[in-house]
Each structure stands twice: as C-alpha cells, then as structure tokens.
Amino acid sequence: MTGKLAVVFGGSGFVGRNVVRELARRGWRVRVAVRRPHHAQFLRPMGAVGQIQLKQCNVRHAPSVADALTDADAVVNLVGILYQSGAQRFDTVQAGGAATVARLAAKAGVKTFVHMSAIGADAESESQYARTKGEAERAVSEAIPSATIIRPSIVFGQEDEFFNKFAGMASVAPALPLIGGGKTKFQPVYVDDVADAICEALVRPEAAGKVYEIGGPRIYTFRELMELMLAETGLRRLLLPVPFPIASLMGLGGEIAGWAPFVEPPLTRDQVKLLKHDNVVGEGALTLADLGVAAQTVESILPSYMVRYRRYGQFAEHAA
C-alpha cells in the first residue's frame, strides 16, 4: 500500500463501489464516507485487512464531513441522486453537498480532489438535475482550483440503473416508451473505465484543474440502445414513440407514484427535460484517452449481465 488516504464520498453506490475496488487495487488506503455504513460492509473485502474503512457521513451535515476528511491526502466526491425523495433534494445533495465537501476539503489542506459530475451539467439548465450538477462544478472549482471534474455520459455495467431498469420493464410490459421518439443520443461508458479515469485523475499532475467528458467509443440513439438490450435478452417488445408533452404527464404520474415509501419513480418530469438534449462528449473536450484509458464497448460487456433476463438464462442460445 502507498500509505496515502483517499476519502470517497458516496463510495457505496454503483460507480462508488467500482472506484473503491480500483483504489484498493492500486494500493490506496480508502475511507468510504456514507450515510449508512452498515449497508456498505460489502466494500471491506475489496481490499486487504484494514485497507478499506467505513465512516458515517452525510454531506448535508458539515461536522460529519469534516470528521471524514481527517488526514485525507485525496478526495473523490461521487454523491449524486437521479430523483428527489424525502430529504434527498437536488439542491441540498448535489449542489450543497458538493460545495460543503469541497469547502471543508480546502480547509483541511486537500489539493487532490476529483468530482464526478455529468455531461450536460449547466448552472443555467431548466433541469434541476443538470442545473445542480453545474452549480456543484462551480462550487468545487472555486473552493479547490486544482480539482478535476469528470463528466460521464450514461454509465453502464453489472449493477447499472439504465439497461437493468429497461430490461426489467421489458420483462413485464408489452411495450417500452421511446421518449421524444427515441432520437436522443447517448455515449454509454463502462463503469470500470469511469473508475480507471477517476483513479488516473488522482495521480496525473496534468489532470489538475481540468474537465474531462468521458464516453464510450460509439454514439447511439435511445432507440438503438433499447433494440440492443432487447436483442441481448431475447425479449420481443413494441417500442412506442411518446411525444415530450405526453412524456411529461407520464413523469408527473411517476413522481406521484414515488411518494409511496420505497417506490422508485419510473420516470420524472425532470428526466424528460434531460432527454430533450443529447448526452455525448463535446467536440474538443478532454476524454478518456487523455487519461490513458481505452474505452470498452457496450457490445462486449452487455451480454455478461443481460443473460439474467433471458428466458433460459445462461442456458439460452444467443438471443435472436
């Protein structure tokens, strides 16, 4: 082990667990700052005995953030939400939380800081998600000018909330909605590549103060991604174009359904707003290649975890 301590906020999430694993593999000591450490015990075996420690922390509670930052050599902030629920609000978690972590990290003397944002982050956006992502970037850069910003497109992998979500819907529904006709473009990036990029940003001096937009090697429309998922699962489903105004009404219904405890809204009005804009790496942006990471394709990874949705699982022949 290097002896250096990386504090990872949001390390028990989909991207977080892969970042923690990769940091441990590279020899870092890792402190994972999470709201519910008892739900994150699965992270400990990812490293040697004592290499990964769990720390109770809520980014909305500054004293717990300051405590988690004790003796930190580097900080990775991955905290984010896809929809609002209870006390978890875009303004307080994504914007306010990032600002608190960055401000207190600066106070603690931390200069090596990586913040995960998202392609489309814009402090002037009509979408609350994109707006607060943009506000978070601004707050982080103001507090720590040497901070590196990582903006991924849709992140996919074994436990993702994209392909798994729609494959689960296709398992029980006769049709899948194509919001806005399914024309929105995406550049899906493999979660392991995102983890590699974040770890590289921590150790490359040239990454300090830079913004990286990271995506996979190919751009797809939403329709193409649904067709690819259906081909891998062997499910034959109608792809039904849904105009944005009707999708907004569906989003309202999803938000109302999300008021029930433990119910994740299938769609929100804010997500519909996001789908009005392509989610691809911008021309001239710094990318995965600039961090020395070779992007893996959707086609090479998706079959490994879509198999669970096939009628006969791993015993099925490749979906027709």
Side-chain angles (χ1 to χ4, degrees), residues 162-236:
F162 184 77
F163 287 115
N164 281 306
K165 177 178 181 177
F166 287 105
M169 290 173 60
S171 297
V172 298
L176 293 176
L178 295 178
I179 308 301
K183 299 178 182 178
T184 308
K185 295 178 181 178
F186 297 92
Q187 197 169 347
V189 57
Y190 183 40
V191 67
D192 280 7
D193 295 339
V194 176
D196 283 339
I198 289 171
C199 291
E200 287 294 325
L202 290 173
V203 298
R204 290 179 176 242
E206 67 271 22
K210 302 288 179 57
V211 177
Y212 294 82
E213 295 197 352
I214 61 177
R218 181 181 166 189
I219 295 172
Y220 308 78
T221 63
F222 185 78
R223 173 185 282 275
E224 289 172 335
L225 290 174
M226 293 300 97
E227 290 172 343
L228 183 58
M229 177 275 293
L230 291 173
E232 287 299 336
T233 58
L235 299 170
R236 300 178 184 274

Side-chain angles (χ1 to χ4, degrees), residues 250-274:
M250 292 170 59
L252 176 60
E255 292 169 28
I256 294 173
W259 292 345
F262 310 111
V263 174
E264 177 181 342
L267 183 70
T268 68
R269 286 172 292 177
D270 199 69
Q271 290 167 351
V272 173
K273 292 176 183 177
L274 288 172

Side-chain angles (χ1 to χ4, degrees), residues 127-147:
S127 159
Q128 286 183 286
Y129 175 87
R131 174 178 58 77
T132 52
K133 283 289 189 182
E135 290 171 352
E137 287 188 7
R138 182 168 58 198
V140 167
S141 296
E142 288 177 354
I144 305 179
S146 60

